[in-house]
């Protein structure tokens, strides 16, 4: 394509929604002919190690100079960003999370010059957790205000950013997305028997098992559902709350009804096993796992937290209840699992919404338009193959 860009992307390379979105965005941009340079301390887990056209990885090496009490990763990252920007003549640094990545990009821009533009995407934790710390507020505010473009993954996150940090600048809404070539309903008939009997339904929870995910509520919901509907519960992921959850399951005598699958890479295959996804989080700026489930035709029963209501349409693509209302969430899950016609209608609505409103091509195009805007360039027409 003409007018292709050179884009540097920095994200947290380990497991997490922001890293997934950043990596998948980079891959899609590379497919469109843009040159994409990932700058991080390790290869993003969704990127893989095989050669991909137009994609490059630059490792951030941290100095262990004895004067430093702690390894200065932030300074090393800023320096690496500047080096790559100069060497590769980058147009844009697209950073995911304000702290530390947007701050590092700000420093890199000071070293390189104003021709390098910075786009910052807010994913949630930098606002919902870090910005609550008074000692970090000014730093996060600086990072956001000094960025050439700022995006956020939900209207709720934009609202909270403005309220918490008194930010008045423009913030673009760019929802998360899924690659529909990867996320679609899979045939799990050969696998399902490993976890549930033919007459049993499968409920699933996928997370990093932090307190904010309220995983204990998942167990309470399942216990109530299992009294009415023969079912099994699958946990996917790992995290600090996991030992506590295992104890609770044993106390309730549900150990024969629950499977722990640990971390899984083939999420679309795993989610397709489920009849319902449970997401009772206390905070969720978007809820990427609910979108991944939606794209596989699996409805979500969850909380009215953060950006979840912008993704899950109550009564159409799932059901939502107030945070902590496990009784109501269990009733919604039982309703979905007991009514085949309702389950089919909701599943079809999930597939349609994921393909139309959260299409990978649509969101990629939105990011491109932001890049060209901050560069002061005209947006080129889309290639026919991309339409």
């Amino acid at each position: 394509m003409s007018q292709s860009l050179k884009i540097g992307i920095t994200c947290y390379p380990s497991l997490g929604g922001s890293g997934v979105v950043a990596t998948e965005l980079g891959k899609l941009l590379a497919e469109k002919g843009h040159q994409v340079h990932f700058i991080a301390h390790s290869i993003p887990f969704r990127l893989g190690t095989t050669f991909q056209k137009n994609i490059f990885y630059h490792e951030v090496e941290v100095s262990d100079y004895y004067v430093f009490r702690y390894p200065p990763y932030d300074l090393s990252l800023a320096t690496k960003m500047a080096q790559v920007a100069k060497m590769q003549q980058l147009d844009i640094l697209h950073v995911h999370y304000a702290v530390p990545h947007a701050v590092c990009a700000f420093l890199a821009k000071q070293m390189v010059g104003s021709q390098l533009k910075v786009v910052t995407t807010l994913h949630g934790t930098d606002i919902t957790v870090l910005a609550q710390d008074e000692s970090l507020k000014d730093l996060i505010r600086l990072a956001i205000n000094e960025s050439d473009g700022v995006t956020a993954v939900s209207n709720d996150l934009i609202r909270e950013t403005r309220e918490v940090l008194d930010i008045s600048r423009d913030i673009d809404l760019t929802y998360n997305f899924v690659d529909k070539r990867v996320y679609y309903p899979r045939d799990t008939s050969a696998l399902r028997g490993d976890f549930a009997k033919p007459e049993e339904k499968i409920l699933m929870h996928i997370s990093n098992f932090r307190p904010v995910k309220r995983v204990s509520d998942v167990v309470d919901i399942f216990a109530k559902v299992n009294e009415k509907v023969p079912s099994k519960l699958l946990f996917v992921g790992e995290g600090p709350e996991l030992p506590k959850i295992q104890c609770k399951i044993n106390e309730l005598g549900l150990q024969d009804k629950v499977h722990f699958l640990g971390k899984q890479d083939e999420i679309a295959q795993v989610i397709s096993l489920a009849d319902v996804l449970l997401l009772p989080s206390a905070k969720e700026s978007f809820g990427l796992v609910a979108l991944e489930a939606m794209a596989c035709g699996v409805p979500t029963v969850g909380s009215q937290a953060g950006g979840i209501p912008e993704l899950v349409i109550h009564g159409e693509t799932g059901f939502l209840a107030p945070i902590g209302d496990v009784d109501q969430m269990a009733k919604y899950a039982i309703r979905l699992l007991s009514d085949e016609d309702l389950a089919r209608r909701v599943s079809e609505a999930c597939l349609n919404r994921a393909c139309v409103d959260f299409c990978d091509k649509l969101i990629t195009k939105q990011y491109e338009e932001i890049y060209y805007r901050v560069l002061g360039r005209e947006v080129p027409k889309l290639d026919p193959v991309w339409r």
Side-chain angles (χ1 to χ4, degrees):
M1 64 175 285
S2 61
Q3 297 188 48
S4 61
L5 303 175
K6 293 184 176 182
I7 305 160
I9 294 180
T10 295
C11 62
Y12 289 112
S14 56
L15 288 170
S18 65
V20 170
V21 170
T23 306
E24 296 299 333
L25 173 63
K27 289 157 67 174
L28 290 165
L29 290 166
E31 284 184 31
K32 296 195 65 179
H34 301 295
Q35 197 178 101
V36 178
H37 297 262
F38 286 93
I39 307 168
H41 61 76
S42 60
I43 296 176
F45 78 100
R46 281 287 183 92
L47 190 59
T49 56
T50 56
F51 174 77
Q52 299 178 65
K53 185 180 178 182
N54 294 329
I55 292 180
F56 305 87
Y57 166 65
H58 306 271
E59 183 178 0
V60 179
E61 297 180 354
V62 182
S63 171
D64 58 357
Y65 184 49
Y66 72 93
V67 168
F68 296 126
R69 183 174 180 183
Y70 303 106
Y73 175 70
D74 298 355
L75 299 180
S76 298
L77 175 58
T79 301
K80 192 67 174 183
M81 286 176 166
Q83 289 176 349
V84 175
K86 288 178 181 176
M87 183 170 58
Q88 302 294 338
Q89 297 182 308
L90 298 184
D91 298 298
I92 297 275
L93 281 176
H94 186 176
V95 295
H96 297 258
Y97 274 103
V99 175
H101 300 151
V103 177
C104 296
F106 168 69
L107 292 174
K109 183 175 179 177
Q110 300 304 303
M111 290 184 261
V112 174
S114 60
Q115 74 277 9
L116 177 66
K117 303 302 180 183
V118 175
V119 173
T120 297
T121 293
L122 305 174
H123 287 272
T125 305
D126 36 9
I127 304 302
T128 60
V129 177
L130 297 178
Q132 309 299 323
D133 185 337
E134 290 296 330
S135 66
L136 291 175
K137 272 189 176 180
D138 287 342
L139 185 63
I140 297 173
R141 189 180 294 112
L142 172 75
I144 292 173
N145 283 330
E146 291 297 329
S147 297
D148 298 288
V150 179
T151 79
V153 297
S154 68
N155 277 311
D156 185 74
L157 183 56
I158 293 175
R159 175 196 58 75
E160 188 165 359
T161 301
R162 297 199 185 288
E163 289 181 1
V164 172
L165 294 172
D166 192 27
I167 297 288
S168 58
R169 65 159 300 155
D170 289 341
I171 300 176
D172 289 288
L173 172 65
T174 50
Y175 283 125
N176 288 335
F177 63 90
V178 287
D179 187 335
K180 57 189 176 186
R181 297 169 298 182
V182 177
Y183 287 91
Y184 57 88
R186 306 296 182 89
D187 180 3
T188 60
S189 54
L191 289 174
R192 193 176 172 97
D194 293 338
F195 303 103
K197 297 174 183 177
E199 69 275 11
E200 291 179 320
K201 301 295 185 179
I202 293 179
L203 295 89
M204 185 175 290
H205 175 76
I206 303 175
S207 76
N208 52 18
F209 288 81
R210 290 182 295 136
V212 72
K213 301 297 182 180
R214 297 183 67 95
V215 188
S216 182
D217 284 4
V218 173
V219 179
D220 290 333
I221 294 166
F222 174 70
K224 294 176 185 298
V225 171
N226 193 58
E227 290 177 358
K228 302 291 185 180
V229 180
S231 51
K232 292 290 176 63
L233 174 62
L234 305 189
F235 278 120
V236 181
E238 294 180 352
E241 293 285 288
L242 194 54
K244 187 188 300 183
I245 296 306
Q246 290 172 323
C247 288
K248 181 168 185 173
I249 288 168
N250 291 336
E251 289 171 2
L252 293 174
L254 295 172
Q255 56 267 36
D256 294 335
K257 303 281 188 179
V258 181
H259 297 277
F260 293 91
L261 305 188
K263 293 180 180 178
Q264 295 289 331
D265 290 332
E266 295 294 329
I267 292 297
Q269 185 77 24
V270 173
I271 288 182
S272 294
L273 283 166
D275 296 293
V276 168
L277 178 81
L278 299 178
L279 190 65
S281 307
K283 288 186 177 181
E284 203 74 62
S285 294
F286 179 79
L288 181 60
V289 68
L291 175 55
E292 292 173 333
M294 185 184 292
C296 295
V298 178
T300 292
V301 171
S303 59
Q304 297 163 345
I308 296 178
E310 296 176 48
L311 171 63
V312 179
I313 300 177
H314 180 71
E316 184 177 325
T317 62
F319 293 92
L320 303 177
I323 297 167
D325 192 346
V326 295
D327 288 336
Q328 188 60 59
M329 291 184 208
K331 289 177 182 177
Y332 285 141
I334 291 167
R335 184 176 163 193
L336 269 171
L337 298 172
S338 304
D339 187 334
E340 290 187 5
D341 288 338
L342 173 65
R344 184 176 59 255
R345 290 198 307 273
V346 172
S347 178
E348 289 172 355
C350 282
L351 293 172
N352 182 67
R353 181 159 168 75
C355 283
V356 174
D357 296 329
F358 302 97
C359 172
D360 48 353
K361 295 180 181 180
L362 171 66
I363 307 300
T364 302
K365 180 175 178 289
Q366 290 176 359
Y367 276 116
E368 281 186 295
E369 290 171 347
I370 292 167
Y371 296 157
Y372 287 112
R373 187 185 73 216
V374 301
L375 287 166
R377 301 183 193 175
E378 184 179 347
V379 180
K381 292 183 179 180
L382 285 176
D383 294 336
V385 296
W386 194 257
R387 293 182 183 180

